[in-house]
Amino acid sequence: MVLLLDKTPDLSATSAPLVMGRPTLAGLDRARLKVALAAAGVPEKQLRMRVNQLWSWMYVRGVTSFDAMTDVAKDVRRDLAAAYSLDRPEIVAEQVSVDGTRKWLLRLQKLGHEARAPEVEAVYIPESDRGTLCISSQVGCTLNCSFCHTGTQRLVRNLEVHEIVGQILVARDRIGDWPGATPPGDGRLLPVTDRKITNIVLMGMGEPLYNFDNVRDAVEVAADGEALSVSKRRITLSTSGVVPEIARWGTESGSMLAISLHATRNDLRDVLVPINRKYPIADLMAACRTYPGVSNARRITFEYVMLKGVNDSLADAKSLVQLLKGIPAKINLIPFNPWPGTQYECSEWEQIERFAEVVNRAGYASPVRTPRGRDILAACGQLKSESVKLRASERPGADAAAHPAPSES
Ligand code: SAH
Ligand code: SF4
């Protein structure tokens, strides 16, 4: 069944959900951190200073213990340690691809009503001149794009702010991206840049615009020059096309925007990206044309997954070019990443090249995104967390062997 919800259901009873165990401060935005410090007894007149101190320890230095915060008074450190932790999401599994791509399966802290701790995935993709971290915004997804592995997993819940930021903290811990930290191995396959995470994309599990407020507040922490310092020009939110929220995102956050287009006709997009039935292509294009801040210097990226015999004809390429006329756009052709049980195949390489040529001739640089981390199912749309694999394995007669290595190299 396809759920077309304007908002994902708010499953938490309060805005500060009850977590099981000592809650963590790591990953909180300033407002939530202030509330947490006040609750631990930090006097009102000290709050601003303490927030600033913790901010820098947590997000510039990446410390994981209150003891390390040497300019914070000892009694305050003690009170904080009694009430809180600085835990990141727990790493259940780490996989490193032959191309240096790293995928983490992360277990979140259980909220009060949850029977078991939900899990999400984050992926780090190093290139020579940049390192891109792909993070999740929801556990599962309410939308059922037919070519997406995540779409086969039902929505468990929205991620909290600290769980979104926590994925960045985990990645920086694991690749040694804090001042004075040692990178793993000999640092081979990491970018030559000073900072190893130069870009962040909200292209993991979930539809980020259905978790608008938490994603917005997490992006503020990521972009804050006194915190994680990844500029908004290097943070990209990818949406399947939640039209009413696109303008609001531009106004309230203003990160770069990517649109999962994948088809240029409503009848096909209705099948591939079913939210199209609610917000058809014309409405989506109108929202792109008026996206706040859009310009030739700040183009919108249109993602187009190459599906053999489905959307990859040269006529499709021409209508893609036609559709994007007048919009400052980049086009990303994404070779389809197969997953167990999918009905789709990736287009032939020659067809992708022919398609790209039409797009290039129309004046778009359209790099075909080389699939990364395919050997560890870390590529776009292959993310799906263990919680579902367990459910699948619980079904009578189901094949319990999830995530087998795909057959192609
Ligand atoms: N929900 C958001 C962001 C996460 S999906 C969105 O849909 O935009 C990130 C990107 O991966 C989207 O463009 C999505 O369409 C694409 N994608 C999903 N499954 C894929 C697959 N199997 N192969 C290639 N790209 C895929
Ligand atoms: Fe959800 Fe995006 Fe996958 Fe569609 S492509 S099911 S919106 S994660």
Side-chain angles (χ1 to χ4, degrees):
M1 191 177 72
V2 178
L3 285 174
L4 296 178
L5 302 175
D6 252 330
K7 290 267 187 304
T8 53
D10 182 8
L11 302 176
S12 57
T14 65
S15 58
L18 191 65
V19 299
M20 308 306 281
R22 259 183 320 151
T24 184
L25 299 184
L28 293 185
D29 59 297
R30 278 184 196 272
R32 288 173 175 83
L33 185 57
K34 194 169 163 195
V35 171
L37 295 193
V42 173
E44 171 71 31
K45 60 181 191 322
Q46 285 185 19
L47 276 177
R48 211 181 127 90
M49 171 187 66
R50 297 299 182 210
V51 165
N52 286 339
Q53 288 174 322
L54 262 77
W55 199 250
S56 171
W57 285 111
M58 292 193 303
Y59 300 135
V60 178
R61 315 246 193 134
V63 303
T64 52
S65 100
F66 292 105
D67 271 348
M69 302 180 174
T70 46
D71 60 355
V72 178
K74 272 206 171 119
D75 57 331
V76 176
R77 277 190 256 161
R78 190 200 50 222
D79 292 349
L80 291 180
Y84 301 113
S85 75
L86 291 167
D87 291 348
R88 287 84 160 92
E90 181 194 343
I91 300 175
V92 180
E94 175 177 68
Q95 285 174 282
V96 185
S97 159
V98 288
D99 67 16
T101 300
R102 284 164 188 266
K103 179 168 83 165
W104 297 280
L105 177 65
L106 303 173
R107 185 172 296 141
L108 307 175
Q109 253 178 334
K110 243 188 334 190
L111 301 184
H113 62 270
E114 283 173 341
R116 63 174 159 214
E119 292 170 351
V120 291
E121 290 178 324
V123 179
Y124 175 67
I125 306 148
E127 292 166 83
S128 58
D129 61 344
R130 67 172 62 195
T132 304
L133 182 68
C134 174
I135 58 177
S136 297
S137 57
Q138 298 184 307
V139 185
C141 189
T142 48
L143 301 171
N144 297 46
C145 301
S146 52
F147 56 89
C148 173
H149 203 197
T150 308
T152 65
Q153 173 177 8
R154 68 173 183 226
L155 179 79
V156 180
R157 70 166 162 88
N158 281 337
L159 296 196
E160 299 294 328
V161 175
H162 71 275
E163 293 167 335
I164 301 169
V165 175
Q167 297 169 63
I168 309 172
L169 302 180
V170 165
R172 291 191 67 177
D173 291 346
R174 296 303 300 159
I175 57 181
D177 195 21
W178 297 112
T182 323
D186 53 6
R188 206 171 47 92
L189 299 174
L190 287 177
V192 294
T193 45
D194 250 10
R195 299 278 304 277
K196 303 304 173 200
I197 298 175
T198 58
N199 295 61
I200 295 174
V201 292
L202 280 144
M203 294 186 185
M205 294 163 60
E207 169 47 60
L209 292 183
Y210 276 164
N211 188 11
F212 192 104
D213 292 3
N214 290 348
V215 171
R216 178 198 55 210
D217 294 349
V219 164
E220 291 307 313
V221 180
D224 186 321
E226 286 160 14
L228 297 169
S229 274
V230 179
S231 106
K232 283 190 185 162
R233 301 198 61 149
R234 289 172 170 269
I235 300 178
T236 303
L237 175 136
S238 173
T239 178
S240 57
V242 188
V243 167
E245 302 288 19
I246 289 178
R248 192 177 148 219
W249 180 261
T251 311
E252 293 187 26
S253 177
S255 77
M256 303 304 280
L257 182 69
I259 302 286
S260 294
L261 187 61
H262 309 315
T264 57
R265 303 189 321 267
N266 282 323
D267 60 340
L268 179 57
R269 195 163 189 270
D270 282 351
V271 175
L272 298 179
V273 188
I275 196 179
N276 193 70
R277 293 184 215 149
K278 191 160 185 183
Y279 307 117
I281 292 174
D283 298 3
L284 181 57
M285 291 302 127
C288 291
R289 284 199 167 82
T290 53
Y291 183 64
V294 69
S295 69
N296 277 334
R298 289 173 74 91
R299 290 166 193 262
I300 296 175
T301 300
F302 289 87
E303 296 156 283
Y304 195 95
V305 63
M306 299 298 296
L307 301 169
K308 184 175 179 176
V310 175
N311 64 355
D312 65 349
S313 73
L314 297 189
D316 289 320
K318 284 177 196 145
S319 63
L320 176 61
V321 166
Q322 200 60 34
L323 186 66
L324 299 186
K325 248 194 189 135
I327 302 177
K330 287 189 277 196
I331 298 173
N332 254 346
L333 301 180
I334 314 173
F336 171 64
N337 291 308
W339 38 271
T342 179
Q343 52 173 316
Y344 296 108
E345 285 177 78
C346 183
S347 307
E348 301 293 344
W349 198 253
E350 296 71 41
Q351 188 60 20
I352 298 180
E353 283 181 343
R354 282 195 288 270
F355 194 105
E357 208 182 298
V358 173
V359 169
N360 285 336
R361 271 207 307 270
Y364 297 97
S366 62
V368 180
R369 230 206 261 163
T370 325
R372 298 289 304 265
R374 271 193 178 182
D375 55 338
I376 56 169
L377 277 187
C380 298
Q382 291 184 310
L383 305 184
K384 180 170 168 176
S385 62
E386 192 71 19
S387 36
V388 165
K389 287 188 268 166
L390 288 177
R391 266 202 296 281
S393 66
E394 284 158 9
R395 281 204 298 270
D399 176 6
H403 283 201
S407 50
E408 82 277 27
S409 59

